[in-house]
């Protein structure tokens, strides 16, 4: 019923998916205050091409597999991709000269992984015993 997200956008000459992956890995690792691996899974988002969902190593189990990550060792953080050339053109940029990437991720997901909270539902159950810990 609700989704809290923050997003980022980078536009410059010579931007690639490698830049995107590096920024996400560094940014998420800094936010979580620990080194995590990141992976892309191809996905469709209308304003990027190619588009992907990105996952990070589950901090609850350290990537070994648990209930939170559905035994995969990975937790989805958000969506990302290279800005579609039509979007660049529509805002006045030459898509041949510049490229860009965009990403977004859920605020709750970052907080979950940082504090090793096993279920996102805990944020919305209004249990003061849980909420007062933060």
């Amino acid at each position: 019923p609700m989704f809290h997200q923050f997003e980022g956008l980078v536009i410059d000459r010579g931007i690639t998916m490698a830049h995107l992956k590096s920024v996400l890995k560094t940014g998420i690792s800094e936010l979580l205050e620990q080194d995590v691996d990141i992976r892309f899974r191809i996905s469709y988002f209308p304003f990027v091409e190619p588009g992907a969902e990105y996952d990070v190593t589950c901090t609850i189990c350290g990537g070994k597999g648990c209930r939170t990550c559905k035994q995969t060792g990975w937790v989805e953080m958000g969506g990302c991709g290279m800005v579609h050339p039509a979007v660049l053109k529509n805002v006045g940029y030459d898509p041949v000269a510049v490229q860009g990437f965009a990403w977004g991720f859920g605020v709750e997901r970052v907080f979950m992984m940082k504090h090793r909270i096993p279920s996102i539902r805990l944020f919305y159950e209004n249990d003061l015993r849980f909420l007062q810990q933060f």
Side-chain angles (χ1 to χ4, degrees):
M2 60 185 137
F3 182 68
H4 304 101
Q5 176 173 308
F6 57 94
E7 301 174 348
L9 173 67
V10 172
I11 306 289
D12 204 350
R13 297 178 191 281
I15 296 295
T16 68
M17 287 286 283
H19 295 114
L20 170 58
K21 191 168 188 179
S22 177
V23 165
L24 288 175
K25 179 175 174 34
T26 302
I28 295 289
S29 291
E30 288 294 319
L31 283 170
L32 299 180
E33 299 177 339
Q34 64 178 299
D35 188 40
V36 293
D37 287 326
I38 187 168
R39 72 174 182 181
F40 288 158
R41 291 179 291 111
I42 299 303
S43 189
Y44 172 77
F45 297 101
F47 302 109
V48 295
E49 181 62 39
E53 294 179 43
Y54 63 96
D55 306 329
V56 299
T57 309
C58 179
T59 61
I60 294 170
C61 66
K64 293 178 177 69
C66 66
R67 183 175 174 178
T68 300
C69 65
K70 299 177 182 148
Q71 306 302 324
T72 66
W74 298 95
V75 174
E76 179 184 336
M77 294 302 285
C80 63
M82 297 300 291
V83 177
H84 196 289
V87 173
L88 293 170
K89 187 175 181 181
N90 287 339
V91 296
Y93 287 112
D94 176 359
V96 174
V98 298
Q99 300 76 39
F101 61 77
W103 76 92
F105 50 91
V107 175
E108 294 87 353
R109 288 291 173 106
V110 173
F111 201 76
M112 275 179 68
M113 291 295 99
K114 182 174 179 117
H115 296 285
R116 294 178 174 86
I117 298 168
S119 174
I120 201 166
R121 292 183 295 268
L122 291 167
F123 294 113
Y124 304 104
E125 291 177 344
N126 296 319
D127 183 339
L128 286 176
R129 294 169 296 180
F130 170 76
L131 296 173
Q132 288 174 336
Q133 295 176 66
F134 309 101

